[in-house]
Amino acid sequence: VDLDTLDARISVCRACPRLVSWREEAAVTKRKSFADQPYWGRPVPGFGDEAPEILVVGLAPAANGSNRTSRMFTGDRAGDWLYAALYRAGFAAIPTSTHVGDGQRLRRVRIMSAVRCAPPGNKPATAERDACAPWMAAELAFVLPTVRVIVALGGYGWDAALRSLRDAGVRIPRPKPRFGHGARAEVETSDGRRIIVLGCFHPSQQNTFTGRLTERMLDELFADAKALCAT
Ligand code: SF4
């Protein structure tokens, strides 16, 4: 199995009835401003470099964002912030990510989410999170050999990243490191490689509108991630 095959398998998953209904309903009802656009309405695979040094882990697709466009963090405000920061850090080909075919390409970075279908209220149930964990594990298994830094977005991304790493046989410090913006956890793979997990506030409007997360904070975090890759 290669990454394309994995993506194809993920994109037809129907394991969570509530999320299948939600993602498909959003694709039919559509937000008014996107009424003339086709919606993806399916699980969203990871996007970016196939041998990344930096892995960005988010929560789940937004109903009118990547559930519409089919690309991680593409077509919503959180994505506007994330891709602009990746561009400023030199990881993205262009500063925006609006639709497949827009010319966006990521170098050294891959983005994936813990849950692959848009959940109501951006809150997946625990059973849905667990049902989706094997997809994250499968994708992580592909990219882990090259990953040096994991940027975990929000407490959800942080927990999901540590859980998936642990399940992949990576040694996690105990007690489990706590999430915070700029928090660092050093973990060790079974072959003795060090990976740094960096906590980052999620670039959701809740954080960016309130100033809890600023562009400067994101820039500093990706500068840290880049420096850690070089050590
Ligand atoms: Fe499948 Fe994950 Fe979507 Fe559930 S959330 S239907 S496990 S892809």
Side-chain angles (χ1 to χ4, degrees):
V1 177
D2 56 19
L3 261 179
D4 287 344
T5 308
L6 178 66
D7 288 353
R9 287 184 183 170
I10 291 173
S11 70
V12 293
C13 179
R14 302 182 67 83
C16 308
R18 187 182 78 116
L19 301 193
V20 171
S21 302
W22 187 255
R23 76 192 194 202
E24 291 180 353
E25 197 181 312
V28 174
T29 53
K30 299 184 179 183
R31 182 175 284 170
K32 216 171 166 188
S33 46
F34 305 127
D36 59 341
Q37 295 186 18
Y39 269 56
W40 172 246
R42 294 205 244 150
V44 181
F47 174 66
D49 203 315
E50 296 198 352
E53 291 164 74
I54 298 173
L55 184 63
V56 177
V57 177
L59 195 172
N64 296 289
S66 53
N67 185 55
R68 172 172 56 89
T69 62
S70 80
R71 185 198 283 160
M72 282 283 155
F73 278 95
T74 294
D76 60 30
R77 292 272 170 81
D80 292 347
W81 272 68
L82 181 60
Y83 282 97
L86 289 170
Y87 177 75
R88 291 193 298 270
F91 296 128
I94 54 176
T96 57
S97 183
T98 54
H99 61 279
V100 171
D102 60 1
Q104 182 57 278
R105 234 167 35 85
L106 296 179
R107 286 180 301 266
R108 303 174 62 192
V109 171
R110 186 172 186 85
I111 307 174
M112 65 166 76
S113 63
V115 173
R116 304 305 173 108
C117 293
N122 291 325
K123 284 194 175 62
T126 305
E128 292 159 350
R129 179 201 73 188
D130 292 347
C132 213
W135 291 131
M136 181 166 168
E139 193 164 349
L140 187 67
F142 268 108
V143 298
L144 201 56
T146 55
V147 168
R148 310 283 304 272
V149 177
I150 296 181
V151 174
L153 300 179
Y156 202 96
W158 177 264
D159 288 344
L162 290 178
R163 201 178 307 113
S164 201
L165 286 165
R166 185 199 60 206
D167 293 348
V170 174
R171 201 160 63 211
I172 309 295
R174 284 194 194 164
K176 195 186 86 176
R178 288 170 71 98
F179 172 74
H181 185 83
R184 284 184 188 201
E186 189 172 324
V187 302
E188 193 183 320
T189 62
S190 51
D191 57 357
R193 243 173 13 92
R194 185 184 75 138
I195 294 175
I196 304 294
V197 184
L198 273 183
C200 178
F201 286 154
H202 194 286
S204 62
Q205 283 181 276
Q206 217 178 349
N207 287 332
T208 54
F209 270 27
T210 56
R212 188 170 185 240
L213 178 67
T214 62
E215 290 184 348
R216 187 168 166 190
M217 287 164 73
L218 265 182
D219 289 350
E220 286 172 355
L221 195 118
F222 280 114
D224 273 356
K226 200 189 271 186
L228 285 164
C229 287
T231 59

